[in-house]
Amino acid sequence: MPTTRQYDVFVSYSHKDKELVQPLVQLLTVNARRVFWDVNSLEPGHVWPQEIEKAILGCKRFLLLWCCDTSDSEQVANELALAEVHQKVIIPVLLCPLPPPPSIHDRQWIDLRGKVNHACQLTGELAERHTSFAIPSGTKPSIGSTSVLGSAAAA
């Protein structure tokens, strides 16, 4: 695999939340942070799964913008699995009432629930039941494919 790219922060999120993510990325870059955000960081013609993998391998911190939209994203599941396998510092940022996945639920998070205008319709008991996001242990993550969640769905 080609050389990894060095970033202070890799931003993992659902594209449905792009408008919420943009100001956070701007705040990070104001402080001279090298931020991987696919919108700004992927160059035309590059193979995006390889570029994302290199960016995760080369990042210091993995910022997971967590919400109901993110929990439905196979791409985010694969990115998170890769960050976990390579023992990256994972910082969950909670955007809605949905609890974080079990693999990261004990990490210190940044709580933006109720502070950002997320279009989430989950509340209380419904949020507790919406926990389909799972990363099977022992599964090798693969960016740009369904290998991580695909194997979970088959189980």
Side-chain angles (χ1 to χ4, degrees):
M1 173 167 290
T3 309
T4 60
R5 298 184 188 247
Q6 299 301 313
Y7 293 98
D8 295 310
V9 180
F10 179 96
V11 179
S12 184
Y13 70 105
S14 165
H15 279 224
K16 293 178 184 177
D17 298 314
K18 180 180 172 183
E19 297 206 9
L20 286 175
V21 174
Q22 184 175 7
L24 294 172
V25 170
Q26 289 173 328
L27 282 172
L28 289 168
T29 57
V30 162
N31 290 321
R33 301 280 188 231
R34 293 167 297 173
V35 178
F36 181 93
W37 181 38
D38 62 343
V39 173
N40 292 340
S41 303
L42 291 175
E43 297 178 19
H46 284 188
V47 180
W48 69 266
Q50 291 175 0
E51 293 300 310
I52 287 175
E53 186 170 349
K54 288 190 295 186
I56 292 171
L57 294 176
C59 76
K60 294 178 184 174
R61 292 171 193 84
F62 182 91
L63 192 67
L64 175 65
L65 293 155
W66 183 253
C67 65
C68 52
D69 297 325
T70 308
S71 74
D72 292 333
S73 171
E74 292 180 18
Q75 180 61 36
V76 170
N78 290 331
E79 292 169 2
L80 178 58
L82 188 62
E84 288 179 323
V85 164
H86 291 280
Q87 301 178 340
K88 298 299 176 177
V89 175
I90 298 170
I91 304 168
V93 178
L94 307 183
L95 301 176
C96 82
L98 182 68
S103 66
I104 62 166
H105 116 289
D106 63 343
R107 295 179 189 260
Q108 184 62 39
W109 59 61
I110 298 170
D111 191 353
L112 295 181
R113 296 173 292 186
K115 297 174 181 80
V116 295
N117 189 19
H118 191 267
C120 181
Q121 299 300 316
L122 295 178
T123 56
E125 185 181 325
L126 184 58
E128 292 295 330
R129 287 187 284 151
H130 188 80
T131 56
S132 61
F133 190 88
I135 299 173
S137 62
T139 303
K140 184 177 184 295
S142 178
I143 300 299
S145 75
T146 60
S147 66
V148 172
L149 288 182
S151 61

